[in-house]
Amino acid sequence: MVEFLELPIDILPVILRFVVKSSHLAAGALVDKTWNEFATPRLYERVSIFSWHKDAKTKVLLLFKTLSTCPHLAKHVRQLEVRDFPKAILHLPTSSDETSIPDLVLEGIKNCKGLHSCVWTRDGSLSSEILEALSWIASLRQLELNGRSQGQYDPRLLAHFKGLQKVSIIMPSSAVVSQLQSMMKVSGGNLRSVTIICKSSPVLTDATLEEMAPNLPNLEQFFITGCPKVTERGVSAIVSSTQAGLRELGLEGVSPKFDMRAFAQHCTHINALQFLCSIILTTPPSLNTTFHSTAAVGDEPANDSRLEAEWIAWTQSVNHLLSASPHFERFQLYATSTSSATTELVRGLWLNHVLSAFWAELVRLHGATIKRFSVLRMAIGEDGVRAICLGCPGLEELFIVSDKRSLDALPNVFRLATNLRTIHVNFPLRSSTSTHVSRNDDSEASGSDSEEHSPEHEDLLDPSRPLPFLLPAEALALVKRCGPSVTQFGCNTKVWRVGRKVSRALDGTVEAEVVLLPYESPDIPEPFLVVRT
């Protein structure tokens, strides 16, 4: 029998690709010299700092001390993600024989000579010196940064980055927006992806997009969020200028005046979205009263006829927009809301009919190619989920909203999608006889309600209300009925990996038991990555 040590060394990198936890990679690097040679580059390939990491201050210091004093390790860093940075450490006193914290950070960055991607989104931690050091790294191709420049850095430095292929800017100031054209012009034909995320900020306008557009001939991905001054005019300029053809488009929280019908007509007329694979949309603000009404389901307000007509027009325009995209794979839709309530009601039975027709037409047009179907803050009934699972044979990811009491019936529906890998179901945190949609956004996670009045607290105290989450045993019971293809399952804020525990019975037969395992990937689960305004 071949021993483990006799296996060809060539397969060690393949084995290590399946090791995702940094602590496991660190242990692997200590096995012997050969393992160290392969595990160390993998360990330092991606370095991440997140807000939920324990002892963040200590870890940040240790990280940049390592990167600054060990260039042989820093050279392996390909992705540097600084999504949290204790700003206080920048002002910590140092002894005369110690290097200052800012200098450690700069030296560490300079040593990452093979850096390909940098994310630095912590507000107040980005400086002109850091930007300048990053701009000198010739291998840098992806940059995501915090755009609040006031008192932090000189926005003119953004025009120093050459050769970028992907740019993401979070909460840009007007000064940063004024430099976007110069930044895009420098990278020019190299740029493949542009993301601008605001929070209902008026700084990004149609005029800005029209100025940027001529510099983006090879753009393939374009995402904007929280930009209430952007209409179809600005987005049409971007779409029309790209010669490569957009593959992914995200329009979240754009202007209430955004005319989806006009945009669809423009795109189909010039065949601009023939290569589109993915779209992210939020419902127009004018339609949101449907979701945060306090009326009971079935109540018919005076303006229901107008709302129904607007919903029909909007959904038909979306289907028209996507009708000329034969390679379409990923559909993501979110209902925006101005309501502060944790749960929201879907008002008007007519809406169920409108949405059912919407899903049915999407499946008719793209069922053969759709791999991801994601709809949040608006419920899809069991019949709608069944139509999606039956009509999309290649479906791999499904994110939906459901009442908790409907969960028991859904696994039998999920089994109809034989290639389904990832399932995430949100249900409202309060019990009600009405249909709910889940917010599942940062306002809940941040604990904006006091403990005494939080919906979670009320649910736990009141035995008549369902828990705001699934217990592991409940989740496991559901997963066992979802079919053999599922590898990840989530509900509200919980996510598990789905694994198999293999055992041999006394008679020699081998059995594989479905088990839930902790989520270990350094990537944030998709449901929590989505930005909603």
Side-chain angles (χ1 to χ4, degrees), residues 103-319:
D103 288 343
L104 276 179
V105 173
L106 292 176
E107 191 63 29
I109 291 172
K110 292 175 182 178
N111 284 339
C112 298
K113 299 184 183 300
L115 190 64
H116 181 267
S117 171
C118 180
V119 176
W120 204 298
T121 57
R122 181 68 166 102
D123 183 26
S125 65
L126 194 57
S127 66
S128 293
E129 290 76 16
I130 291 174
L131 274 180
E132 193 167 7
L134 289 170
S135 69
W136 282 101
I137 301 177
S139 60
L140 191 65
R141 293 294 177 265
Q142 301 180 8
L143 180 64
E144 180 176 347
L145 53 87
N146 188 286
R148 194 177 74 86
S149 60
Q150 300 95 322
Q152 309 300 326
Y153 60 85
D154 184 354
R156 292 174 297 181
L157 291 170
L158 297 176
H160 291 189
F161 288 87
K162 300 177 181 180
L164 289 179
Q165 297 176 353
K166 182 176 181 179
V167 172
S168 301
I169 300 181
I170 316 298
M171 304 295 290
S173 63
S174 57
V176 166
V177 169
S178 69
Q179 295 298 317
L180 287 180
Q181 183 183 8
S182 299
M183 187 181 189
M184 305 302 166
K185 189 174 182 179
V186 170
S187 291
N190 293 308
L191 272 173
R192 300 293 188 271
S193 177
V194 172
T195 300
I196 303 174
I197 299 176
C198 304
K199 189 176 181 181
S200 299
S201 169
V203 296
L204 190 70
T205 65
D206 288 335
T208 307
L209 297 184
E210 288 172 332
E211 292 174 352
M212 291 166 47
N215 299 311
L216 302 172
N218 295 313
L219 193 68
E220 297 177 354
Q221 301 171 332
F222 181 66
F223 305 97
I224 55 173
T225 297
C227 305
K229 294 297 184 180
V230 171
T231 72
E232 76 283 354
R233 192 188 93 198
V235 181
S236 295
I238 296 290
V239 169
S240 302
S241 294
T242 173
Q243 300 169 12
L246 284 185
R247 267 67 170 176
E248 300 183 44
L249 175 64
L251 304 174
E252 304 182 65
V254 292
S255 171
K257 298 179 180 179
F258 192 102
D259 190 335
M260 184 59 73
R261 182 173 178 271
F263 182 59
Q265 289 178 337
H266 173 78
C267 291
T268 53
H269 177 69
I270 64 174
N271 202 20
L273 301 182
Q274 59 177 317
F275 300 114
L276 190 72
C277 296
S278 173
I279 196 165
I280 304 174
L281 298 172
T282 52
T283 55
S286 62
L287 305 181
N288 293 337
T289 54
T290 312
F291 294 99
H292 62 261
S293 168
T294 56
V297 170
D299 284 2
E300 299 296 332
N303 63 349
D304 258 11
S305 297
R306 179 185 61 80
L307 275 174
E308 181 177 4
E310 290 184 7
W311 265 103
I312 291 173
W314 188 80
T315 54
Q316 289 180 345
S317 296
V318 172
N319 276 325

Side-chain angles (χ1 to χ4, degrees), residues 420-434:
L420 196 56
R421 305 283 188 269
T422 300
I423 301 172
H424 198 102
V425 181
N426 288 328
F427 59 81
L429 301 185
R430 294 180 184 174
S431 175
S432 172
T433 57
S434 304

Side-chain angles (χ1 to χ4, degrees), residues 398 403 424 489 516 521:
L398 182 62
D403 189 280
H424 198 102
F489 182 82
L516 294 183
S521 172

Side-chain angles (χ1 to χ4, degrees), residues 389-439:
C389 290
L390 273 175
C392 304
L395 186 67
E396 297 178 357
E397 300 173 284
L398 182 62
F399 308 114
I400 61 171
V401 172
S402 172
D403 189 280
K404 188 176 182 181
R405 285 159 297 196
S406 301
L407 284 178
D408 188 59
L410 288 177
N412 294 331
V413 180
F414 295 150
R415 294 182 69 92
L416 299 174
T418 56
N419 289 302
L420 196 56
R421 305 283 188 269
T422 300
I423 301 172
H424 198 102
V425 181
N426 288 328
F427 59 81
L429 301 185
R430 294 180 184 174
S431 175
S432 172
T433 57
S434 304
T435 305
H436 291 71
V437 290
S438 171
R439 292 178 58 84

